Amino acid sequence: MTIKDYFSSLFKGTWSLLQGMQVTGKELVTPKITKQYPENRDSLVIPERFRATLKFVYDSEGNHKCIACGLCQMNCPNGTIHIDTKMVEMPDGKKKRKLDKYMYDLGSCTFCQLCVLSCPHGAIEFSNDFEQAVFTRDKLVQQLNYLPEKEPAPAPAAAANGDATKIEK
């Protein structure tokens, strides 16, 4: 190593140090914005488009729109969703597939929203509930259809026999 190389590398090192100190000095004098998270939960603003966890859409009567078609399960890129179905006999004698369990693994979800976009009935959506910290991974697996599904109402006996009563005015 020559003296020229030594002083050249010394100059480059000093220049690099001064550039780093300039960046640090700028950050030292800028005003800081600190979120006091646990204390400001009531005033915390979460954007509407934030995707936190998947949930079912229930109507006012407690019914969900899921028809157990399985499109969300097929479109999930990493197998986060698992649907179990059962065959139920309807009052008219036809058999229909019904949702038994809708399991969702939050720990392996990539929040890509392919399941929500592919649902033909708009039965699932993402919520803004971002506080999902748990101590074990088993608690990240959730059953989304937590409300018991109402059984279909039996057909009236008079309508089944073909006897129609006339209502007089």
Side-chain angles (χ1 to χ4, degrees):
M1 175 183 255
T2 64
I3 294 177
K4 180 181 175 185
D5 292 338
Y6 174 75
F7 283 111
S8 174
S9 64
L10 180 67
F11 177 72
K12 286 180 185 178
T14 306
W15 181 251
S16 175
L17 177 68
L18 290 175
Q19 285 179 331
M21 294 295 283
Q22 180 184 7
V23 170
T24 305
K26 284 181 185 177
E27 288 300 317
L28 186 65
V29 296
T30 58
K32 305 299 181 263
I33 301 172
T34 305
K35 302 279 184 181
Q36 301 296 329
Y37 165 62
E39 291 82 23
N40 70 346
R41 282 186 183 157
D42 53 344
S43 64
L44 190 64
V45 177
I46 302 169
E48 285 183 32
R49 292 176 46 179
F50 179 73
R51 302 176 193 158
T53 181
L54 199 62
K55 69 175 186 173
F56 263 14
V57 178
Y58 286 95
D59 61 7
S60 60
E61 297 174 359
N63 298 321
H64 57 77
K65 299 177 183 179
C66 183
I67 60 169
C69 63
L71 287 175
C72 55
Q73 180 179 355
M74 286 185 274
N75 288 331
C76 184
N78 57 352
T80 299
I81 298 170
H82 181 72
I83 298 174
D84 290 332
T85 60
K86 62 181 177 181
M87 294 302 286
V88 177
E89 189 169 333
M90 300 304 286
D92 57 358
K94 296 180 182 177
K95 290 193 175 197
K96 185 176 180 182
R97 182 171 50 181
K98 288 289 205 176
L99 180 66
D100 189 27
K101 284 186 180 180
Y102 192 102
M103 302 304 290
Y104 168 63
D105 186 5
L106 179 64
S108 65
C109 184
T110 58
F111 308 103
C112 63
Q113 202 173 7
L114 289 175
C115 56
V116 175
L117 295 175
S118 67
C119 183
H121 294 281
I124 53 177
E125 66 182 14
F126 275 102
S127 70
N128 286 356
D129 184 21
F130 68 95
E131 293 179 331
Q132 301 296 327
V134 293
F135 288 106
T136 61
R137 292 182 64 94
D138 295 338
K139 292 183 181 176
L140 292 175
V141 178
Q142 304 166 354
Q143 182 175 350
L144 293 188
N145 59 333
Y146 54 89
L147 293 178
E149 191 167 346
K150 296 177 177 53
E151 294 298 323
N161 294 337
D163 299 333
T165 58
K166 293 182 181 179
I167 301 174
E168 296 180 20
K169 293 183 182 179

